[in-house]
Amino acid sequence: MSETEALLGDLRAEGDELDGLVAGLGGAEWRMATPAPGWTIAHQIAHLAWTDERAVQAAEDVQGFADEVRRAWAAPDAFVDEGAERGAAEPPEVLLGHWREGRERLLRTLAAQPPRARLPWYGPPMSVMSMATARLMETWAHGQDVADALGVHRAPTARLRHVARIGVRARGYAYAARGMEPPAEEFRVELTAPDGEVWAYGPEGAGQRVTGPALDFCLLVTQRAHRDDLAVRAEGPDADRWLDIAQAFAGPPGKGRAPGQRTEHSGGDASDDAASPTPQSDVPGHRPGGAP
């Protein structure tokens, strides 16, 4: 199995897991509020469906997608919400059907791309691997919003590796999004995977270090939990500052969630746990949990 095939398999699995959470919901449950202000479960699924459609359009209709980007930048504060509102207004069974069809079409479209293809996006063009990784990251993050709304625990999986890698590689972007100069020094990031393996990034001897459970790091960089509620630790002032501003998504910084909003996480200090993405991995205006 090629690396692309394995990644697309993970993308499929991430979508299927979230599908399992919403497939049996009644109409009232689709209207349940999620941690993103103003967004219901229906908005979360509608946003994923809309973004999957844009990714397919980027691969199949370059001119049409360019027109879409121009419309987006003409209303940068509204176009993401507008897309979610349109989908959320559909009957749940129709919305669910659209999302399922779009997921399948996206998988087929990405699998059919030449290995070196670069797909246009709202930021710099993206490789097929980057696009698939970005879609997985966003599916996981919005899936967390849905799970939190339903009070459901999702067992972390090895698919978090994709989310973690985006978070690490987007470090410079987190600074740039705030008009700050990123530190020139490389960081060391060591994350404990769900199976106990350590995922390591950066030089081993780096003075600036981040350690902790991979789940907690992913919740942090997608702004699905406040740093105070997570077992991610920093060594060094620059690493400490990064954890305050980290984001794995493109667009303006979000407010994230307040301390205490998340009561369940992987728990404990890190010591208790035995084709590359680009920072512009999501659409501008991506709505992290708890952000405006």
Side-chain angles (χ1 to χ4, degrees):
M1 180 183 296
S2 70
E3 189 177 4
T4 300
E5 290 172 332
L7 174 55
L8 292 179
D10 283 348
L11 176 56
R12 178 186 294 278
E14 200 63 49
D16 288 347
E17 181 177 297
L18 177 52
D19 195 311
L21 288 182
V22 301
L25 297 181
E29 292 170 306
W30 280 86
R31 295 189 293 274
M32 289 177 63
T34 68
W39 277 28
T40 64
I41 289 175
H43 285 85
Q44 300 284 352
I45 299 302
H47 173 66
L48 290 175
W50 176 84
T51 316
D52 286 346
E53 289 174 3
R54 298 289 74 75
V56 170
Q57 184 182 36
E60 297 183 346
D61 180 8
V62 174
Q63 184 55 55
F65 181 74
D67 294 339
E68 183 71 26
V69 171
R70 282 192 289 272
R71 285 191 291 271
W73 287 120
D77 296 328
F79 80 103
V80 170
D81 282 331
E82 289 172 354
E85 287 286 353
R86 287 193 297 271
E90 297 178 333
E93 64 275 11
V94 174
L95 172 58
L96 183 59
H98 286 168
W99 179 49
R100 286 172 172 170
E101 292 169 7
R103 281 157 45 205
E104 288 299 321
R105 186 176 179 187
L106 176 64
L107 290 167
R108 293 194 303 270
T109 298
L110 293 180
Q113 298 304 302
R116 297 183 180 276
R118 304 287 296 181
L119 306 179
W121 200 234
Y122 294 88
M126 300 174 69
S127 69
V128 173
M129 292 285 287
S130 291
M131 182 68 80
T133 305
R135 299 309 312 129
L136 189 153
M137 180 272 288
E138 199 183 8
T139 301
W140 179 82
H142 288 284
Q144 188 63 51
D145 293 334
V146 172
D148 287 346
L150 295 172
V152 173
H153 169 73
R154 298 192 303 170
T157 73
R159 297 191 298 272
L160 287 176
R161 180 190 293 272
H162 306 296
V163 183
R165 192 176 181 195
I166 287 183
V168 170
R169 293 184 64 85
R171 177 170 65 90
Y173 181 79
Y175 287 88
R178 292 162 175 78
M180 302 165 59
E181 186 71 23
E185 181 183 356
E186 292 190 68
F187 289 13
R188 175 73 169 184
V189 178
E190 295 181 357
L191 305 174
T192 305
D195 65 357
E197 179 186 356
V198 175
W199 299 337
Y201 311 86
E204 188 171 356
Q208 305 296 318
R209 302 173 63 85
V210 168
T211 59
L215 172 61
D216 286 29
F217 180 79
C218 292
L219 290 168
L220 179 71
V221 299
T222 57
Q223 296 187 359
R224 262 56 191 184
H226 191 277
R227 178 183 176 182
D228 290 354
D229 298 330
L230 301 171
V232 183
R233 303 291 179 256
E235 298 177 26
D238 289 337
D240 187 69
R241 176 58 173 151
W242 176 42
L243 294 188
D244 286 335
I245 65 172
Q247 65 180 72
F249 53 89
K255 294 180 180 178
R257 296 190 189 177
Q261 277 189 279
R262 183 171 182 81
T263 58
E264 174 192 300
H265 62 86
S266 54
D269 292 329
S271 59
D272 295 333
D273 296 286
S276 58
T278 67
Q280 297 286 344
S281 57
D282 199 354
V283 298
H286 169 78
R287 178 185 285 266

